[in-house]
Each structure stands twice: as C-alpha cells, then as structure tokens.
Amino acid sequence: MMSKIDVREAARKIRNLTIKIAEKSGTGHIASGLSMADILACLYFSEMRFGDGNAEADHFVLSKGHGAISLYATLSLKGFIDFDVVTEYHRLGSTMTSFPSEPFYRGLDFASGSLGHGASVSCGLALAAKLDSSNKRVYCIVSDGECQEGAIWEAALFAGHHQLDNLTVVVDYNKLQALGKVGDIVTLEPFADKWRSFGWDTIPVDGHDVAALTNAFEKTSNKPKCIIADTIKGKGVSFMEGDLNWHYLPLKGEYLGKALLETSL
Ligand SMILES: Cc1ncc(C[n+]2csc(CCOP(=O)(O)OP(=O)(O)O)c2C)c(N)n1
Ligand SMILES: [Mg+2]
C-alpha cells in the first residue's frame, strides 16, 4: 500500500495523464474526469485490492462512465493498460471507448455510461459477494446530476435494507451537470440526510483532500457507506474549475498548453 503522500502524487499524475490523453484524442468530458482524480487515486493506490496474493479482487463500477478518460489514466498509471493503448481513447475501433465497455482490462470489469445504473449493479455485486461468503468489496462512483435519477434511490433503498456493508458509493458532488447547476435544475439537498434516512453510513468529505478521503474509506460499520465527496468540476486546471463550458469542450491551442503545464507542476 502506498502512503497518503504517494496517493496525492498519484492524483496529480492522473490529472496530467488525463490531459495528455485529451491532447491525443481531441475530445471532451475532461472536467468530469479531473473532478474525481483524487477519489480514483485513493481507490486504486490505497483502498482497493486487485487479487494479488490470497486477496480477492474488489469490484469497481464507474457509474459516471462519461469520466472514463481519468479512469483510463488511472489504469495506465497503475500499469494495467499501456499508455499507448489508453491514448487511443475515443478513436474509432479502439478498445478505449468513450464510456467503459468490453473488452475489459484488469481493474475495469464493468460497462457503464448510461447514467443511473451503476449503483444498482453495485448492489447486485455486493449482495452476490455476501451470498458467496466472499470478502470482496464493491466501490462505485456516481455523479451528482446522476443522483436526480430514480434508479439511484432504488439502489439506496435496496442496499440499506440488505445492510450491504461491503458496498461503498462515492458521490462526486461537483454541483454542476451538463447544462447547468445541479441546485438550479433539481436540487439534491438535504443530500446527506437523504442517504442517512435510507440506512447508509454517510460521510461528507472534501473530495480533494486525500487524507480525509482515505479516512472515510477506512471507516467501518454494519451499513452500506456513502461518501459525499465535495468536489470542483475540472479541479487542477484553473480555467476549467467550476466552468460549465468544460463539460463538453475539447482542449486546444493555448488552453491545452496551460492545462499540460498546470497538471505537471
Ligand atoms: C441516461 C443518460 N442520460 C444522459 C446522458 C448524457 N450525459 C452524459 S454526462 C451528463 C451530465 C453529467 O452531469 P453529472 O451527472 O453531474 O456528472 P459530472 O460530469 O458533473 O461528474 C449527461 C446528461 C447519459 N450519459 N446517460
Ligand atoms: Mg456533476
């Protein structure tokens, strides 16, 4: 296991690799990836087990599949996929599809991208692990706009009822969705109270504070866990942070140079 300082460095590298992949692919959804870079770093470089030794491999579901660019960056940093392969992101015929899909790689074994479904899939995986007397854990990242979908709350109800204490859902609470502010479109608040009322151990945390995130992951209880990660969309690239336009825009010209520079520091 890496130290917390190393996880922080992993997050920086994930951001830098994300921009490098964006440079090659010329596509968007970059800010959605950057928003969860610290969460991915904690999961892949501290919290999750990948089946080494006698440990069972945990499952990860990127319910906000449109952020795949940073998941691919993470898997490349982890050494599970060659960087030459991940830079084929979004190209016709590439296995690095815009949203995660088959063929799967180590650390990536579920397709996603149609928002709203990942939490339910994760509930199924967590319940199956319990029925198999397996100590596998299941981790799922959902986005905040995604939490406006009813299926999320069906999963919340189910996991609470079955006390799926092997399930952790992290909400990337960046307050922006594709076309506006989450709070203006359909507010989620009081968000933590809602998860708690569904029977979840709910931990609001600064989603860019690696130490706080790690502590939240390490906390145990007999309930499913919801980490509400307070994040900034586009975190790490100054002109992208909190700017709705960067949900879809590709990086070009001087913007690209600035993003490469800022994420390499
Ligand atoms: C069911 C479904 N509807 C629409 C989309 C298109 N879409 C992709 S990202 C997005 C909004 C993303 O906002 P949010 O959920 O807050 O994610 P963020 O990028 O902020 O993490 C939408 C509507 C989708 N992927 N799936
Ligand atoms: Mg959002």
Side-chain angles (χ1 to χ4, degrees), residues 32 64 66 113 115 143-146 174 176-178 233 247:
S32 302
K64 49 168 284 188
H66 60 280
L115 292 168
S143 45
D144 48 3
E146 182 179 14
N174 59 30
L176 290 178
Q177 51 194 93
K233 198 155 171 168
H247 181 76

